[in-house]
């Protein structure tokens, strides 16, 4: 089994929305109640086949067990550091964690909307960007009407903040 080592500082908090917390709780529950028992059954089956040194079923099950147990440890570490934020109760005219920001690209005129979420919640297909992304970091602290420059590998982009909403 692979061991994962986490270095956690006491004030190394990880911001997370209520939805993000719900999703990670569901994943943890699934791993413990469904995946772990499946892996145990697969290991037992592999053992029943005899010689463990050349047993592919047993080896695969042990590898899967290492992944499942590692992921359980990783989730528990994240939950221990989680700072769950109810973004619906945020009252700010500035962009902070949980803001849904609509902005316009000054070069193309294209308007885009993203919600700033925890790193594990980020999903561009759902218009969610992680708090540590360059775009989110550039937006933090800005207000409606502010111009924001974001330096990216493809160049520098200029955006204007159209609206900030907390849901």
């Amino acid at each position: 089994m692979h061991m994962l080592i986490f270095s956690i500082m006491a004030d190394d908090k990880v911001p997370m929305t209520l939805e993000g917390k719900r999703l990670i709780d569901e994943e943890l529950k699934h791993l413990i109640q469904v995946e772990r028992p499946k892996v145990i059954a697969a290991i037992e089956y592999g053992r029943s086949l005899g010689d463990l040194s050349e047993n592919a079923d047993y080896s695969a099950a042990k590898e899967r067990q290492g992944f499942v147990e590692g992921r359980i440890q990783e989730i528990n570490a994240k939950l221990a550091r989680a700072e769950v934020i109810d973004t619906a109760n945020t009252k700010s005219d500035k962009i902070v964690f949980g803001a849904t920001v609509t902005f316009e690209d000054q070069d193309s005129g294209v308007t885009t909307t993203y919600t700033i979420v925890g790193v594990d919640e980020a999903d561009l297909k759902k218009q969610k960007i992680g708090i540590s992304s360059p775009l989110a970091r550039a937006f933090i602290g800005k207000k409606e009407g502010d111009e924001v420059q974001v330096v990216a590998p493809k160049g520098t982009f200029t955006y204007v903040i159209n609206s900030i909403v907390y849901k």
Side-chain angles (χ1 to χ4, degrees):
M1 178 163 39
H2 298 76
M3 263 320 222
L4 296 176
I5 300 173
F6 299 97
S7 62
I8 301 172
M9 296 175 59
D11 46 343
D12 187 20
K13 292 291 184 188
V14 177
M16 187 180 296
T17 64
L18 288 172
E19 175 67 7
K21 169 87 165 59
R22 185 188 65 74
L23 291 173
I24 204 165
D25 282 341
E26 283 179 9
E27 181 183 358
L28 182 60
K29 182 178 177 183
H30 176 78
L31 287 169
I32 291 171
Q33 294 179 352
V34 177
E35 293 300 321
R36 186 183 269 168
K38 273 190 200 175
V39 168
I40 292 169
I43 289 171
E44 288 173 1
Y45 173 74
R47 281 190 184 137
S48 74
L49 297 177
D51 184 13
L52 299 181
S53 64
E54 294 182 20
N55 186 324
D57 289 322
Y58 179 78
S59 295
K62 288 299 281 182
E63 188 173 319
R64 177 73 182 151
Q65 181 185 36
F67 170 79
V68 168
E69 294 303 323
R71 183 66 181 146
I72 288 170
Q73 287 179 0
E74 183 181 348
I75 290 171
N76 280 327
K78 285 178 184 178
L79 289 172
R81 299 181 332 205
E83 180 179 350
V84 181
I85 300 168
D86 183 357
T87 56
N89 292 328
T90 302
K91 306 286 185 246
S92 177
D93 62 342
K94 292 183 179 179
I95 298 172
V96 296
F97 179 83
T100 298
V101 182
T102 301
F103 57 96
E104 182 180 333
D105 183 319
Q106 291 302 282
D107 292 330
S108 68
V110 173
T111 299
T112 307
T113 301
Y114 284 129
T115 301
I116 300 173
V117 297
V119 175
D120 292 320
E121 302 171 70
D123 185 346
L124 286 179
K125 292 176 186 169
K126 295 180 181 177
Q127 283 69 45
K128 295 180 177 184
I129 58 172
I131 185 74
S132 64
S133 71
L135 187 60
R137 289 194 322 254
F139 283 172
I140 295 297
K142 302 296 190 265
K143 295 180 176 184
E144 286 182 14
D146 282 358
E147 188 173 282
V148 179
Q149 288 196 339
V150 178
V151 178
K154 293 183 180 180
T156 301
F157 299 90
T158 304
Y159 304 109
V160 171
I161 307 298
N162 292 342
S163 70
I164 305 164
V165 177
Y166 293 95
K167 302 177 187 175

